[in-house]
């Protein structure tokens, strides 16, 4: 819980902002709250809500939200060696509670403590969840209640980009990581004109392909 507590500085304004945006898009407090409980993924929530508000087809909103959340599949693969032996119901709960912050804390702790048992790892993961998920729900409700009362000059939308930069930047440790990141940025900017944020899909695929190719090249040289 102590390790996850600093993320509240981002969770609180980010969740409040979603509540505000959701009510401005026409959802009531209950609908905004259920949105957060059902999806519990900030970037995907903002993406899908914005697309639906703009009149995009439902399948486009779903595809874009899934594309934004593809990183969760990589998070899952990364944690499987540590948590894969847990019972199915616990793995299902872990999958539901896996967000950027819980993953970032867990993977660092597991690498630092290779002697932990499965029970230690599960206890740590769910301890990290305590300051993250409940506050996400609660502050979504607060944001929905406040609605449009928050002045735009507060710029609460800073939370999302800063969160991703803070978590991703320290992970760019190899040439493959850097190559994938740079390619994804270039393609995302180049295809920003595509409707419904489809440029993100193209950028994600291009970044993964670039990183994989660089790793293969480095492997051959080694």
């Amino acid at each position: 819980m102590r390790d996850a507590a600093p993320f509240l500085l981002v969770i609180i304004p980010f969740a409040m902002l979603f509540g505000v945006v959701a009510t401005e898009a026409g959802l009531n407090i209950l609908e905004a709250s259920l949105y957060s409980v059902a999806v519990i993924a900030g970037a995907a929530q903002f993406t899908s809500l914005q697309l639906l508000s703009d009149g995009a087809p439902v399948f486009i909103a779903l595809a874009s939200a899934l594309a934004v959340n593809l990183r969760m599949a990589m998070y899952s693969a990364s944690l499987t060696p540590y948590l894969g032996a847990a019972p199915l119901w616990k793995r299902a709960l872990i999958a539901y509670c896996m967000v950027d912050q819980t993953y970032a804390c867990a993977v660092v702790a597991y690498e630092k403590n290779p002697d932990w048992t499965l029970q230690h790892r599960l206890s740590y993961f769910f301890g990290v969840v305590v300051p993250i998920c409940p506050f996400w729900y609660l502050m979504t409700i607060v944001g929905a209640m406040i609605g449009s009362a928050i002045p735009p000059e507060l710029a609460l939308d800073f939370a999302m980009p800063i969160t991703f930069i803070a978590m991703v930047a320290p992970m760019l440790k190899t040439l493959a990581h850097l190559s994938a990141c740079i390619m994804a940025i270039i393609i995302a900017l180049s295809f920003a004109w595509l409707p419904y944020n489809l440029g993100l899909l193209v950028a994600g695929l291009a970044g993964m392909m670039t990183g994989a190719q660089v790793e293969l090249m480095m492997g051959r040289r080694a």
Side-chain angles (χ1 to χ4, degrees):
M1 290 175 63
R2 182 181 64 245
D3 291 348
F7 286 115
L8 290 175
L9 296 175
V10 170
I11 292 293
I12 290 174
F14 197 10
M16 287 180 63
L17 178 62
F18 177 76
V20 172
V21 171
T23 53
E24 290 181 347
L27 302 184
N28 59 39
I29 296 176
L30 177 60
E31 290 168 339
S33 303
L34 290 176
Y35 210 131
S36 275
V37 172
V39 183
I40 192 168
Q45 288 179 219
F46 277 97
T47 299
S48 57
L49 182 63
Q50 184 62 51
L51 289 171
L52 291 173
S53 299
D54 291 342
V58 172
F59 78 91
I60 291 292
L62 290 174
S64 298
L66 287 171
V68 170
N69 268 7
L70 277 177
R71 67 190 186 283
M72 298 298 170
M74 293 182 282
Y75 292 173
S76 177
S78 175
L79 292 183
T80 295
Y82 302 107
L83 302 174
L88 178 61
W89 71 272
K90 289 186 179 180
R91 283 183 280 133
L93 190 56
I94 290 168
Y96 172 75
C97 296
M98 189 184 297
V99 293
D100 299 294
Q101 294 84 1
T102 55
Y103 169 77
C105 288
V107 74
V108 170
Y110 297 162
E111 290 176 353
K112 287 183 178 179
N113 301 277
D115 57 327
W116 277 3
T117 65
L118 176 61
Q119 186 57 48
H120 287 143
R121 294 166 184 162
L122 289 170
S123 298
Y124 181 87
F125 184 90
F126 289 116
V128 168
V129 168
V130 172
I132 301 297
C133 297
F135 272 91
W136 179 258
Y137 308 142
L138 176 62
M139 300 317 294
T140 296
I141 296 173
V142 172
M145 294 174 65
I146 293 173
S148 57
I150 298 179
E153 56 266 23
L154 287 181
L156 293 182
D157 53 351
F158 78 95
M160 181 162 61
I162 285 183
T163 299
F164 282 108
I165 291 172
M167 288 189 299
V168 171
M171 297 181 184
L172 302 178
K173 298 177 180 179
T174 69
L175 180 60
H177 294 161
L178 291 171
S179 301
C181 180
I182 292 171
M183 178 59 71
I185 291 172
I186 293 173
I187 297 299
L189 293 175
S190 300
F191 287 86
W193 53 270
L194 288 176
Y196 308 133
N197 286 333
L198 293 178
L200 290 177
L201 295 175
V202 179
L205 291 172
M208 288 187 284
M209 291 169 64
T210 301
Q213 287 300 315
V214 171
E215 279 195 346
L216 288 173
M217 292 170 56
M218 293 175 65
R220 293 192 192 104
R221 291 183 180 179

